[in-house]
Amino acid sequence: MTAGTSAIFTSAITLEKADPEHFDLAFTAVTQPCPWPKAYGGDLVAAAAAAAMRSVTDGKTMHSMHSYFLRPADIGAQVRYEVELLRDGRGYSTRQVRGYQNGKPLYVCLANFAAGEPGGSFQASFTGALPGPEDLPSSAEYLAGRSGGSMTEVSKAYWSGGRSFDMRHVPGPVYLAVEGERVPHQAVWIKPFDALRPVEGLTDAQRDLAALAYVCDYTILEPVLRVLDLPWAQPGLVTASLDHAMWFHRGGPVGDWLLYLQDAVAADSGRGLGYGRFFTRDGRHLATVAQEGMIRAS
């Protein structure tokens, strides 16, 4: 099996300038391969984050973004990201980003930027002992020799090495079956398969912020699937991102292992809400995310 590479992520956020058709600035990016009928939602979030960051040139840092997924995106096809410069103040700036494909809007977000100022500091912490990533199987190791349900060789290869990041689950993955208890929470250790490459138009800190926006969507609904006893390979299972909110509290490198703590908040009427927090290995709280998704099990 081909070794995983983080180039899939950096390709997703490599933008080309374009002539705007609707707002103030425009960029294009190409959605990355995946074995599903539609492009990966984090692909759109990260590319939109990159477009918004490239429109702010006075040193402010993105501290939040709020997104809606309107239509599925074609895989391996260009998406045009149009940026509206809503406000530029001394302390804060706001951008709207819309993604268009085939002439229709498929994604929209508001992103806010802050200059930063002196003030008090607090960060959430986590308690309890968790196994380290070195003591857990990678997705590739877990899936080796396993099959079942709707899992194909193509999808197994994607879960194993096609997502740019090594992901290791506690209490266990939910690929073929729900490993461990049906509890409404889990933890995932996350690390790029190799060193993140430079991305034109972004600083390394901006690229790392986009990396969190990109990778968060892969597993944020898994605590909901876990408590409902629905593995990804459940025949007839269909999921889709509906809306997404993310807050970036402080910077930090994304090249080492990060701990992504996740909880199921609610599940009803074919929708589920997941909540997650990213920590560095030494306990620095980098970001918080909440996402609602459609969960349809036939």
Side-chain angles (χ1 to χ4, degrees), residues 23-27 51-52 55 81-85 95-97:
F23 296 125
D24 300 297
L25 299 170
F27 303 90
S55 76
Y81 295 92
E82 296 259 354
V83 184
E84 183 178 13
L85 312 183
R95 301 291 187 260
Q96 179 184 198
V97 184

Side-chain angles (χ1 to χ4, degrees), residues 113-135:
F113 295 76
E117 55 189 276
S121 181
F122 169 79
Q123 63 176 12
S125 60
F126 59 90
T127 58
L130 289 172
E134 297 85 0
D135 300 321

Side-chain angles (χ1 to χ4, degrees), residues 1-5 8 33-36 138-147 150-165 175-176 193 218:
M1 185 174 292
T2 304
T5 171
I8 295 167
C34 67
W36 324 125
S138 67
S139 297
E141 290 168 339
Y142 173 82
L143 289 169
R146 297 174 185 252
S147 61
S150 62
M151 183 73 70
T152 66
E153 288 303 311
V154 172
S155 59
K156 186 160 71 170
Y158 181 72
W159 289 121
S160 298
R163 298 183 290 174
S164 287
F165 291 82
Y175 298 130
L176 298 168
F193 282 121
Y218 277 123

Side-chain angles (χ1 to χ4, degrees), residues 71-298:
R71 293 179 174 87
D74 294 336
I75 298 169
Q78 188 180 90
V79 177
R80 169 185 290 271
Y81 295 92
E82 296 259 354
V83 184
E84 183 178 13
L85 312 183
L86 289 178
R87 178 179 183 268
D88 280 306
R90 287 183 298 175
Y92 293 88
S93 293
T94 305
R95 301 291 187 260
Q96 179 184 198
V97 184
R98 289 190 188 181
Y100 293 86
Q101 194 178 72
N102 302 320
K104 296 180 179 179
L106 52 79
Y107 170 87
V108 62
C109 82
L110 289 173
N112 218 45
F113 295 76
E117 55 189 276
S121 181
F122 169 79
Q123 63 176 12
S125 60
F126 59 90
T127 58
L130 289 172
E134 297 85 0
D135 300 321
L136 298 168
S138 67
S139 297
E141 290 168 339
Y142 173 82
L143 289 169
R146 297 174 185 252
S147 61
S150 62
M151 183 73 70
T152 66
E153 288 303 311
V154 172
S155 59
K156 186 160 71 170
Y158 181 72
W159 289 121
S160 298
R163 298 183 290 174
S164 287
F165 291 82
D166 189 347
M167 302 182 197
R168 307 188 179 197
H169 288 70
V170 182
V174 294
Y175 298 130
L176 298 168
V178 174
E179 295 286 332
E181 297 180 72
R182 284 180 52 183
V183 291
H185 54 79
Q186 68 175 22
V188 185
W189 287 101
I190 293 174
K191 181 182 179 181
F193 282 121
D194 52 15
L196 294 179
R197 293 149 179 81
V199 176
E200 184 178 355
L202 299 180
T203 66
D204 287 352
Q206 290 173 326
R207 176 206 60 201
D208 288 0
L209 186 151
L212 295 179
Y214 178 85
V215 75
C216 72
D217 189 22
Y218 277 123
T219 56
I220 188 61
L221 291 181
E222 286 186 349
V224 182
L225 298 181
R226 182 180 296 279
V227 77
L228 296 178
D229 197 24
L230 292 172
W232 286 115
Q234 176 82 15
L237 176 66
V238 179
T239 66
S241 301
L242 296 175
D243 56 61
H244 174 280
M246 195 163 191
W247 297 266
F248 305 94
H249 311 303
R250 50 188 60 84
V254 179
D256 200 356
W257 288 106
L258 297 177
L259 181 62
Y260 190 12
L261 296 180
Q262 304 166 340
D263 293 277
V265 178
D268 208 343
S269 302
R271 300 186 309 276
L273 179 65
Y275 167 82
R277 294 174 293 164
F278 283 98
F279 294 89
T280 61
R281 197 161 185 175
D282 61 0
R284 186 174 174 83
H285 183 197
L286 299 184
T288 299
V289 59
Q291 181 162 309
E292 187 175 43
M294 180 193 79
I295 300 176
R296 182 177 295 155
S298 61

Side-chain angles (χ1 to χ4, degrees), residues 62-75:
M62 186 162 72
H63 69 87
S64 68
M65 63 187 304
H66 300 262
S67 307
Y68 280 91
F69 302 86
L70 309 179
R71 293 179 174 87
D74 294 336
I75 298 169

